[in-house]
Amino acid sequence: MEKKLNTPIDDLTRESLTIGDEVLISGTIYTARDAAHKNLVEALDTSQKLPFELEGQIVYYVGPTPARPGKAIGSCGPTSSYRMDKFSPKLMAKGLKVMIGKGERSNELVAEVKKHKAVYLMAIGGIGALLSKTVKSSEVIAYSELGAEAIRKLTVENFPAIVAIDSKGNTIF
Amino acid sequence: MYKIDRNLIVNTIKEMIMETTRTLGSEVIKSLESAFGNEKNNIAKNVLSKIIENQRIAKEENIPLCQDTGVCVCFIEIGRNLIFDYDLTEAINEGVSVGYTEGFLRKSVVKHPLNRINTKDNTPAVIHYDFIPGNKMIIHLAPKGGGSENMSTLKMLTPADGREGIINFVLETIENAGGKPCPPLIVGIGIGGNFEHVTYLAKKAIFRPIDDNAKIDEDRLLEVELLERINKLNVGPMGLGGNTTALAVKVNSAACHIASLPVAVNLQCHSARKKEVTLIGKEA
Ligand code: SF4
């Protein structure tokens, strides 16, 4: 049975998740991949304001295809998370609690997830068509010059993912 | 002498891109379905069923299978009796540009590895040319994703490392890659040649039909043994465990130096998008 999660996900719910749990997320999530992460961390390092408040938020590693007219988004599956390992600890230090991507992450990252009682969820790679059906709206909120890599605010309904690193630092891999 | 109209090339490339990014070949679907039937692990079964459902939705909704619509890789076989009074590479890239723009596909190419400025139309493609007899041109095209490409490897083994050395290197590559290249994989392996040729062989290998067995005995035996051993690694679909890590292993070999044993492993994810089209030249 999948667990239904509504955003923002409260601490108790998040900390009760364990590896292997299948979840369905509904609510707001933000997209960011390589270039957006670089920008976010640069903004933090130079004490600039971030395009969205990280506290308690969910970041999804994705660079979608362009939406066809009348559609909220194009194909939108996860990209490999390990490339964000360098940046994520700084974002977690600012309150980021949930990351969604695909694939393994470094041991250092696992330790940071545990430290911040965050979670890492895995979405299935290469099923961007299926996942696009769970996205109800999408709006570019920052770095539009980055195209597919811009930060988007998504409203999702029953977005499927699997708990891959839980808040206690257990990993599924 | 024979000619192929430039517009025909542009349109063919465009159509191939639009089709491959949205529809998985029937041989890949069949292979995924039989993997689903043989898989014992529940999470793995769930992942495989979603992958199969995804290709159905992509086709129905006319939406790309995967958001990474790749870098366009082409192997072009040119009939020796064809003549070209235009720049063929330019024509292919025009087809890529139109296909990615009109097809609502992601532009994933940057101009320089360090300046990272997007070319905005997914050009240039990576194109390899070869000659064949006759008056036709065969285009093999694949939009190749970055996730699986990033996990591909090359190693210059020594002759003493031998067959066992090759096997260990391949298994190590796949185990280290884990879920990142989006398994189940098609594993393309090149052995022999030299430093650059071996990677070419590995890339060509992932273009082979999924049920094609190597003609050379040594290569075929490697394919069989490697497929079995890879599927015992328990990497599984998306790295979450299970016995479906690879759908197929393809080995291509070439002659090499007495001192060398190059081996390259090119990984193709389950979104194994590719197509072949033959164009016939008209008498000029
Ligand atoms: S590795 Fe393949 S299936 Fe996975 S995200 Fe990249 S292109 Fe898509």
Side-chain angles (χ1 to χ4, degrees), chain A residues 13-169:
Chain A
T13 310
R14 193 182 65 253
E15 286 165 31
S16 75
L17 295 173
T18 45
I19 50 166
D21 284 353
E22 293 180 33
V23 299
L24 293 171
I25 305 164
S26 297
T28 302
I29 61 180
Y30 293 91
T31 75
R33 46 172 291 154
D34 309 55
H37 271 76
K38 191 162 175 267
N39 285 2
L40 287 173
V41 166
E42 267 168 22
L44 282 176
D45 287 347
T46 54
S47 314
Q48 290 170 51
K49 196 172 159 3
L50 295 184
F52 66 100
E53 191 52 57
L54 281 171
E55 188 57 49
Q57 283 308 340
I58 305 178
V59 165
Y60 177 30
Y61 308 146
V62 58
T65 59
R68 279 187 181 273
K71 298 264 179 181
I73 201 163
S75 192
C76 57
T79 194
S80 294
S81 308
Y82 73 98
R83 297 194 314 272
M84 268 43 86
D85 286 358
K86 244 170 67 182
F87 304 116
S88 305
K90 287 200 170 168
L91 303 186
M92 282 189 273
K94 286 283 168 198
L96 174 68
K97 288 294 184 209
V98 184
M99 296 160 282
I100 311 172
K102 73 171 166 89
E104 296 78 352
R105 311 202 65 167
S106 67
N107 292 336
E108 294 77 40
L109 194 280
V110 175
E112 291 283 329
V113 169
K114 185 177 173 187
K115 180 171 138 199
H116 295 287
K117 294 193 177 134
V119 288
Y120 166 56
L121 309 178
M122 236 188 90
I124 300 171
I127 62 158
L130 186 151
L131 292 174
S132 77
K133 300 197 85 169
T134 70
V135 178
K136 301 303 158 192
S137 74
S138 161
E139 178 200 351
V140 172
I141 58 155
Y143 315 138
S144 59
E145 71 284 0
L146 296 178
E149 295 205 58
I151 294 186
R152 290 171 170 78
K153 182 180 180 180
L154 307 183
T155 312
V156 295
E157 214 176 276
N158 294 327
F159 180 98
I162 300 163
V163 179
I165 306 174
D166 63 28
S167 58
K168 299 179 188 64

Side-chain angles (χ1 to χ4, degrees), chain A residues 22 63 75 77 102 104 125 130, chain B residues 46 54 64 67 106 179-180 270:
Chain A
E22 293 180 33
S75 192
K102 73 171 166 89
E104 296 78 352
L130 186 151
Chain B
N46 177 10
N54 182 66
Q67 77 292 337
R106 201 178 79 185
K180 298 182 197 93
H270 66 74

